[in-house]
């Protein structure tokens, strides 16, 4: 069994995390690749810098049950991740449970 998502076992617990995150038997290894370029803003470098500073990304799991009761989807990171440079790319590996995962870019 493995734990997945943003939930991690508490220090000192080696088997599975506490009740709030559960454990799953099957996990999938995925790689998220995001290429980005804020430099090409037609409004100039200042706007490109502002766009970069205000943009972020996260890996989220679509969950109809949460939506039905007015909750947002659960995301991997508790805080969305910033884009470190004005242009570039990133690649991150995740172990996820089965589900409808998507990249949220804001």
């Amino acid at each position: 069994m493995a734990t997945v998502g943003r939930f991690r076992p508490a220090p000192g617990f080696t088997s599975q995390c506490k009740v709030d995150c559960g454990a799953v038997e099957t996990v999938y290894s995925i790689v998220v690749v995001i290429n980005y370029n804020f430099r090409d803003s037609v409004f100039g470098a200042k706007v490109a810098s502002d766009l970069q500073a205000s943009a972020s990304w996260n890996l989220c799991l679509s969950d109809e049950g949460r939506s039905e009761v007015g909750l947002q989807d659960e995301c991997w990171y508790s805080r969305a991740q910033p884009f470190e440079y004005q242009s570039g790319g990133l690649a991150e590996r995740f172990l996820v449970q089965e589900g409808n995962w998507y990249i949220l870019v804001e």
Side-chain angles (χ1 to χ4, degrees), residues 1-4 9 14-17 22-27 95:
M1 274 197 214
T3 56
V4 297
T14 56
S15 59
Q16 46 183 304
C17 61
V24 295
E25 301 226 358
T26 304
V27 294
L95 292 176

Side-chain angles (χ1 to χ4, degrees), residues 6-38:
R6 65 183 195 145
F7 303 106
R8 302 284 190 265
F13 291 86
T14 56
S15 59
Q16 46 183 304
C17 61
K18 297 189 177 190
V19 176
D20 65 343
C21 61
V24 295
E25 301 226 358
T26 304
V27 294
Y28 301 92
S29 178
I30 63 170
V31 176
V32 171
V33 177
I34 301 175
N35 294 303
Y36 58 92
N37 186 352
F38 298 102

Side-chain angles (χ1 to χ4, degrees), residues 58-97:
N58 209 335
L59 176 65
C60 301
L61 176 61
S62 181
D63 185 335
E64 284 184 34
R66 290 179 63 88
S67 298
E68 289 173 0
V69 295
L71 297 173
Q72 294 180 339
D73 289 338
E74 190 70 46
C75 293
W76 191 272
Y77 296 106
S78 58
R79 291 185 183 187
Q81 301 300 289
F83 291 97
E84 195 169 337
Y85 306 104
Q86 283 195 357
S87 67
L90 58 90
E92 300 226 7
R93 181 177 169 263
F94 298 91
L95 292 176
V96 300
Q97 67 190 36

